[in-house]
Amino acid sequence: MNLLDIVKPDYLCIFHEPCEREEIINRLGMLLTNCGVVEQAYIDAVLAREAEFPTGLELGEIHVAIPHADSAAVKSPAIALGVAKRGVPFRSMAEPEKEIAVHLVILLATQRSEMQLQALEKTMDFVQDPKRLKSLLEAADEGELYTRFVEYLVLEEQ
């Protein structure tokens, strides 16, 4: 699976104002819904899964969340990326009772479990580079965010 194939400019959003976990998942999910790649049921499935199995990852200075769910409501695979400039509280995957301020939210929408596993593995590899995360966080707008994200994905595929 090539992540470049499932990231589109319309799937990215920068959140300048403080927001909650549910809001950012809903808004990223709506980007995918409006583009016709998922149905509302997918967003509901992600919210339900996140409540039970948190996806916040503490990665040095910039924390990441990778919400996802198995769902028949995914019409075609996609990744939505949200940058929360002020951080958004997510529960930690390692310590579910602990909330962490997440700045990058990567919403994975895949059709099959094996595809989800591949996307998760590639995403986990992607988020291990602190300089890359900082660069994404510093993007001024969605166009710049998309350009930087794609450049890093191209490097990752080489």
Side-chain angles (χ1 to χ4, degrees), residues 47-63:
L47 289 168
R49 186 188 184 287
E50 189 69 33
E52 192 169 338
F53 303 104
T55 62
L57 299 169
E58 293 184 83
L59 300 171
E61 294 179 22
I62 299 173
H63 306 318

Side-chain angles (χ1 to χ4, degrees), residues 74-94:
V74 176
K75 297 176 185 179
S76 61
I79 292 178
L81 176 64
V83 172
K85 294 286 189 174
R86 297 189 182 187
V88 60
F90 268 76
R91 289 177 29 236
S92 168
M93 182 186 295

Side-chain angles (χ1 to χ4, degrees), residues 130-151:
K131 290 179 190 169
R132 181 183 297 167
L133 298 181
K134 186 174 183 345
S135 174
L136 293 176
L137 184 59
E138 292 172 347
D141 57 38
E142 283 81 359
E144 186 178 340
L145 178 61
Y146 179 74
T147 299
R148 290 179 183 194
F149 195 38
V150 167
E151 285 174 359

Side-chain angles (χ1 to χ4, degrees), residues 26-158:
N26 270 306
R27 289 195 39 206
L28 291 174
M30 286 309 298
L31 293 176
L32 300 181
T33 300
N34 293 341
C35 290
V37 296
V38 302
E39 298 169 2
Q40 175 64 42
Y42 180 71
I43 301 169
D44 298 338
V46 171
L47 289 168
R49 186 188 184 287
E50 189 69 33
E52 192 169 338
F53 303 104
T55 62
L57 299 169
E58 293 184 83
L59 300 171
E61 294 179 22
I62 299 173
H63 306 318
V64 176
I66 309 174
H68 58 281
D70 288 328
S71 178
V74 176
K75 297 176 185 179
S76 61
I79 292 178
L81 176 64
V83 172
K85 294 286 189 174
R86 297 189 182 187
V88 60
F90 268 76
R91 289 177 29 236
S92 168
M93 182 186 295
E95 299 177 65
E97 65 286 344
K98 179 180 179 183
E99 280 199 340
I100 58 175
V102 165
H103 286 88
L104 294 172
V105 179
I106 303 169
L107 177 64
L108 298 180
T110 56
Q111 295 164 303
R112 298 181 314 274
S113 293
E114 64 273 5
M115 183 184 287
Q116 184 180 81
L117 183 58
Q118 287 177 351
L120 278 168
E121 288 173 352
K122 289 187 178 230
T123 302
M124 289 300 291
D125 288 344
F126 180 86
V127 301
Q128 297 303 313
D129 183 339
K131 290 179 190 169
R132 181 183 297 167
L133 298 181
K134 186 174 183 345
S135 174
L136 293 176
L137 184 59
E138 292 172 347
D141 57 38
E142 283 81 359
E144 186 178 340
L145 178 61
Y146 179 74
T147 299
R148 290 179 183 194
F149 195 38
V150 167
E151 285 174 359
Y152 291 130
L153 290 176
V154 167
L155 290 173
E156 194 75 19
E157 289 298 320
Q158 293 177 348

